[in-house]
Amino acid sequence: MKLSHLLPKLSRHVSLIVISFVIAFPFLWMITSSLKSDGEIRRFPPVLWPEKPLWNNFSAAWDAAPFGQYLLNSVLVALVIVFIQILNSAMMAYVLTHMKFRFKNALMAIILTNYMLPVSATYLPSYIILSRLGLIDTYTGLIISNAVSIFSIFLIRQAFMQLPAELAEAAKIDGAGHARILFSILLPLARSSFIIMALLTFITNYNNYFWPMLITKSPELSLVSAGLRSFFVEGGGYGMKWSLIMAGSTFTILPLLILFVIAQKWIIKGVSNAFSVNKG
């Protein structure tokens, strides 16, 4: 291979390695800091790897706060929200793409207009509605208040619009109903978009902090973000036990890392599909 062809390729790889390291460095620092003593964390110049890894920091952090309950709450709430959003986003996207009725374009305009609203503008009316329904400080309130996502509806609508309309028409001729067309034909063909939507929805609700803090008061309902903050300010310490805080932070990202490892091929496939559509 000629040097003139090799240099651009080599520079691209070096640039990608440097960018990847910059992106991954905060996570690397968090993990290594969870194995340090507090003195090593504050040392200057800083050290990346501890002289003697303190693996008991993880057990000490786990015993110092109910991280098991926090993780269970976050994972269960996020999974239920993902399941509900898949159902209602699929049905809404099907209505907007494969059914004919008056004011369909007006309905889509209303949906997109709601997407433009600042999230903070919905907090007060949502809180009042949940309060009148008696769903404040409940799992049901956490789930129902996040059951619909405008972004998810728009994403699945775009995925359905990329599929040939003849598939649904042929199924109708064969006598298939709307539910059969949606769940047996369209949903499997657009599964990469659904997986990406589910991944984004899970991450968003797993890391959600401000809204759950508004509608929940019981420590038993705290999600990992709120639980980690409570651990951070526990006893007025405000981050005095940095090694345990880093260990607790490592606990909180483990479900997300596992999720990325499992779904990485679908993420790559979804990005490739989006690129091919845009290119076409």
Side-chain angles (χ1 to χ4, degrees):
M1 183 179 293
K2 295 182 179 180
L3 186 60
S4 59
H5 293 163
L6 181 61
L7 286 177
K9 186 176 182 180
L10 181 61
S11 63
R12 274 199 308 271
H13 281 77
V14 172
S15 300
L16 290 174
I17 291 172
V18 172
I19 294 172
S20 300
F21 178 77
V22 171
I23 294 173
F25 181 76
F27 299 98
L28 178 63
W29 180 262
M30 178 186 66
I31 294 171
T32 58
S33 295
S34 65
L35 300 174
K36 300 176 185 176
S37 63
D38 291 334
E40 285 180 315
I41 293 177
R42 298 186 180 92
R43 183 181 300 176
F44 186 85
V47 293
L48 182 61
W49 187 257
E51 296 177 1
K52 183 180 179 181
L54 302 177
W55 298 99
N56 62 332
N57 284 343
F58 291 102
S59 59
W62 188 269
D63 295 335
F67 281 104
Q69 185 67 43
Y70 299 153
L71 289 170
L72 181 64
N73 290 342
S74 295
V75 171
L76 286 179
V77 169
L79 285 177
V80 174
I81 291 173
V82 166
F83 177 74
I84 294 175
Q85 283 197 18
I86 287 175
L87 288 179
N88 62 41
S89 298
M91 291 187 289
M92 194 66 187
Y94 179 83
V95 168
L96 294 171
T97 54
H98 290 83
M99 296 183 70
K100 297 179 180 180
F101 57 93
R102 295 180 64 185
F103 308 116
K104 182 168 74 171
N105 292 333
L107 177 60
M108 187 62 200
I110 293 172
I111 292 173
L112 292 179
T113 301
N114 281 298
Y115 187 62
M116 298 175 189
L117 288 174
V119 177
S120 56
T122 65
Y123 285 161
L124 180 58
S126 299
Y127 188 92
I128 293 174
I129 292 171
L130 290 178
S131 178
R132 291 180 177 177
L133 293 174
L135 298 179
I136 297 296
D137 203 27
T138 63
Y139 284 112
T140 304
L142 280 171
I143 293 169
I144 294 299
S145 59
N146 294 285
V148 177
S149 169
I150 303 298
F151 171 77
S152 298
I153 294 172
F154 181 76
L155 178 66
I156 302 304
R157 173 183 175 271
Q158 295 303 109
F160 284 175
M161 289 179 66
Q162 295 168 13
L163 300 176
E166 292 79 7
L167 292 173
E169 296 298 331
K172 289 178 183 178
I173 293 174
D174 290 339
H178 293 302
R180 180 72 179 274
I181 295 171
L182 173 59
F183 293 107
S184 299
I185 299 175
L186 299 181
L187 196 150
L189 291 174
R191 61 181 177 273
S192 60
S193 296
F194 277 99
I195 290 175
I196 291 174
M197 186 212 82
L199 181 65
L200 294 174
T201 302
F202 183 90
I203 294 172
T204 299
N205 289 280
Y206 182 86
N207 291 324
N208 201 359
Y209 170 73
F210 191 73
W211 176 245
M213 282 287 291
L214 283 178
I215 64 173
T216 58
K217 301 300 180 184
S218 302
E220 296 79 11
L221 297 177
S222 294
L223 306 186
V224 288
S225 52
L228 190 62
R229 182 187 179 278
S230 299
F231 183 55
F232 181 79
V233 300
E234 186 179 17
Y238 286 92
M240 297 299 292
K241 301 178 181 178
W242 279 108
S243 57
L244 299 188
I245 291 171
M246 292 298 176
S249 300
T250 303
F251 292 145
T252 64
I253 68 167
L254 280 179
L256 300 182
L257 292 178
I258 295 171
L259 188 62
F260 274 117
V261 170
I262 295 174
Q264 61 180 336
K265 67 175 183 178
W266 296 106
I267 297 172
I268 295 172
K269 184 177 180 180
V271 172
S272 300
N273 289 344
F275 176 76
S276 61
V277 170
N278 292 333
K279 187 177 181 181

